Amino acid sequence: MSQAMTHFLGGRAAVLHPAPPVCEQLHRRLAALGIAAERRWPELGEGAFDLVLIDLDTAHDRQLPWPKGAAPMPMVGLVGSESPSRLNWALAHQIDAFLPQTALANLYSALVVASARHAERRRIAQDAAEAARRNTLRLEVIQAVQTIMQQDRADAPRALKKLRALAMVERCALEDAALMLLGRGNERRSGAGAQK
């Protein structure tokens, strides 16, 4: 699991809630944590936010400008009625943490959990994208091994071992080492330093 963020000083939060008194309470608690809060209603709209707090009793898809489960920041669901349909909506949107509206004093804990869960989801998505990218380069690995076999008059196991050594020296994935050897290093993903 990714390490939880435990300080939020300088952050910006959007509070999607229809009740001004609840928003005022949240704004005070967020301000105490060094977070500038802005009430947004009825939709999130434009703006750069580090986290979103959303009222689950009134939440709907049109409030959020991204597909289900694709929030670019941690989200905290403010729980009121605890109805199954509302909780199912939150789960479908992969809300990162839940905070009962009767327990707003626990805001800090909800933020820590939300930041950790969001970071973990992003890491998993990046790992999946990297695995998919590397899977598309299998032919290049074969071509690189064949090139080494021809140049060094080596058998396949020795050629593969040489390609792995290049990947270790360059501190990159085997597939990226194959691209380098084939002279296609510009196809290498920017910042790809994944292990073989």
Side-chain angles (χ1 to χ4, degrees):
M1 182 97 173
S2 298
Q3 185 172 357
M5 186 175 187
T6 56
H7 62 86
F8 304 93
L9 191 65
R12 293 190 63 224
V15 179
L16 273 164
H17 200 290
V22 174
C23 292
E24 288 168 14
Q25 286 183 58
L26 285 168
H27 285 204
R28 283 194 303 272
R29 293 188 180 280
L30 289 164
L33 296 171
I35 302 169
E38 185 177 328
R39 180 178 183 245
R40 291 294 181 102
W41 191 259
E43 295 176 358
L44 181 61
E46 298 290 323
F49 297 103
D50 300 302
L51 62 108
V52 172
L53 294 95
I54 185 168
D55 174 42
L56 295 183
D57 285 349
T58 58
H60 57 85
D61 294 349
R62 292 185 310 279
Q63 286 182 301
L64 305 174
W66 52 73
K68 287 181 181 179
M73 75 285 288
M75 292 190 66
V76 175
L78 301 168
V79 180
S81 66
E82 293 187 330
S83 74
S85 64
R86 298 286 72 215
L87 294 174
N88 284 332
W89 183 92
L91 293 171
H93 281 269
Q94 295 185 19
I95 298 295
D96 298 300
F98 296 88
L99 179 63
Q101 293 185 42
T102 56
L104 295 183
N106 296 327
L107 175 63
Y108 176 74
S109 297
L111 296 182
V112 170
V113 170
S115 71
R117 289 202 60 216
H118 181 74
E120 183 68 6
R121 282 194 296 111
R122 286 187 65 174
R123 185 195 63 75
I124 290 169
Q126 289 169 348
D127 288 351
E130 174 63 6
R133 182 191 74 86
R134 289 170 61 176
N135 281 340
T136 65
L137 297 174
R138 289 180 180 168
L139 181 59
E140 283 77 0
V141 171
I142 293 168
Q143 290 172 343
V145 168
Q146 289 174 338
T147 298
I148 295 169
M149 288 172 67
Q150 291 171 358
Q151 290 175 349
D152 296 359
R153 299 185 189 278
D155 59 12
R158 284 175 53 200
L160 182 58
K161 185 175 181 180
K162 185 169 182 178
L163 182 60
R164 286 182 190 218
L166 174 63
M168 287 178 65
V169 168
E170 294 294 329
R171 297 177 58 135
C172 66
L174 183 68
E175 295 79 4
D176 292 318
L179 289 175
M180 291 170 62
L181 189 133
L182 295 170
R184 302 181 203 162
N186 59 339
E187 295 177 29
R188 183 178 170 191
R189 185 183 73 148
S190 174
Q195 296 298 314
K196 309 176 292 187

